[in-house]
Amino acid sequence: MLSKHKILKILQNYNPILVGTIPIGINIETSDLDIICEVKNFEEFERLCKEHFRDKQGFSITRRVVEEIERIKINFMIENWPIELFGQNKSTSEQNGYLHMIIEDRMLKLYGKKFKEHIIHLKSTGMKTEPAFAKILRLEGDPYLKLLEINNWTDEELRDLWVDSNDVA
């Protein structure tokens, strides 16, 4: 679907990366396609997105500043797939969406099928991805920040985290 509609090609100057649940295989029926972009010129990015996507169902643009970093979010639907483009003036490989996906993928590979099933189950009850990981692993505090904190842990440290929590349903 992304290639059919040339979405990544349209965004190619913004180093787009598909992140989130779909690339790591924990998507559910209500999952969307999350694409992060490195945006230096927000007006130019907004113009490009309006030119290519404004006629799509549900098209909306939100711009705001969070922690002194400007960000833009563009939502629309293509072929019944909700799509969210997220941009900020930061390398895509350094954005939180990418970093979360990397640590989540590592844990899914380390912990195996039972862990993955627990995550998908929690997501199917309405829980967001990062809070689902935090709940199963008994990580206290902000789940989004906690996943960033453990991003550089070794596989051994991560394995110990799940061993202590494998009885959680």
Side-chain angles (χ1 to χ4, degrees), residues 36-81:
I36 59 173
C37 298
E38 179 181 352
V39 178
K40 293 180 181 8
N41 183 325
F42 286 81
E43 286 73 27
E44 182 182 289
F45 183 75
E46 189 172 321
R47 231 181 347 270
L48 176 80
C49 290
K50 282 180 179 176
E51 177 185 334
H52 289 280
F53 309 122
R54 77 170 147 229
D55 62 336
K56 306 298 181 204
Q57 178 187 347
F59 181 82
S60 68
I61 298 174
T62 307
R63 282 175 69 172
R64 57 190 198 135
V65 176
V66 177
E67 296 175 1
E68 299 181 27
I69 299 173
E70 186 172 6
R71 47 187 73 198
I72 187 167
K73 185 176 73 158
I74 299 176
N75 296 89
F76 55 93
M77 302 267 294
I78 293 182
E79 295 183 18
N80 294 318
W81 275 99

Side-chain angles (χ1 to χ4, degrees), residues 26-31 117-129 131-133 135-136 169:
I26 55 170
N27 52 300
I28 58 172
E29 190 174 307
T30 57
S31 294
E117 289 170 354
H118 285 314
I119 294 292
I120 291 171
H121 170 72
L122 287 175
K123 287 180 58 54
S124 70
T125 66
M127 190 173 283
K128 294 284 192 185
T129 304
F133 275 83
K135 178 181 174 85
I136 291 173

Side-chain angles (χ1 to χ4, degrees), residues 64-124:
R64 57 190 198 135
V65 176
V66 177
E67 296 175 1
E68 299 181 27
I69 299 173
E70 186 172 6
R71 47 187 73 198
I72 187 167
K73 185 176 73 158
I74 299 176
N75 296 89
F76 55 93
M77 302 267 294
I78 293 182
E79 295 183 18
N80 294 318
W81 275 99
I83 296 174
E84 180 173 293
L85 309 180
F86 176 85
Q88 62 184 168
N89 189 3
K90 191 177 205 181
S91 168
T92 46
S93 63
E94 294 175 6
Q95 291 185 27
N96 289 352
Y98 179 78
L99 297 173
H100 285 151
M101 181 182 70
I102 296 302
I103 188 62
E104 291 161 1
D105 187 51
R106 277 184 63 209
M107 289 188 285
L108 289 165
K109 289 174 179 165
L110 277 172
Y111 304 149
K113 184 179 177 184
K114 183 178 177 185
F115 181 81
K116 181 176 181 175
E117 289 170 354
H118 285 314
I119 294 292
I120 291 171
H121 170 72
L122 287 175
K123 287 180 58 54
S124 70

Side-chain angles (χ1 to χ4, degrees), residues 7-47:
I7 294 172
L8 296 177
K9 183 162 179 48
I10 291 166
L11 300 170
Q12 68 186 349
N13 292 336
Y14 299 95
N15 303 314
I17 299 176
L18 177 65
V19 298
T21 60
I22 292 171
I24 60 175
I26 55 170
N27 52 300
I28 58 172
E29 190 174 307
T30 57
S31 294
D32 62 357
L33 293 166
D34 294 307
I35 301 169
I36 59 173
C37 298
E38 179 181 352
V39 178
K40 293 180 181 8
N41 183 325
F42 286 81
E43 286 73 27
E44 182 182 289
F45 183 75
E46 189 172 321
R47 231 181 347 270

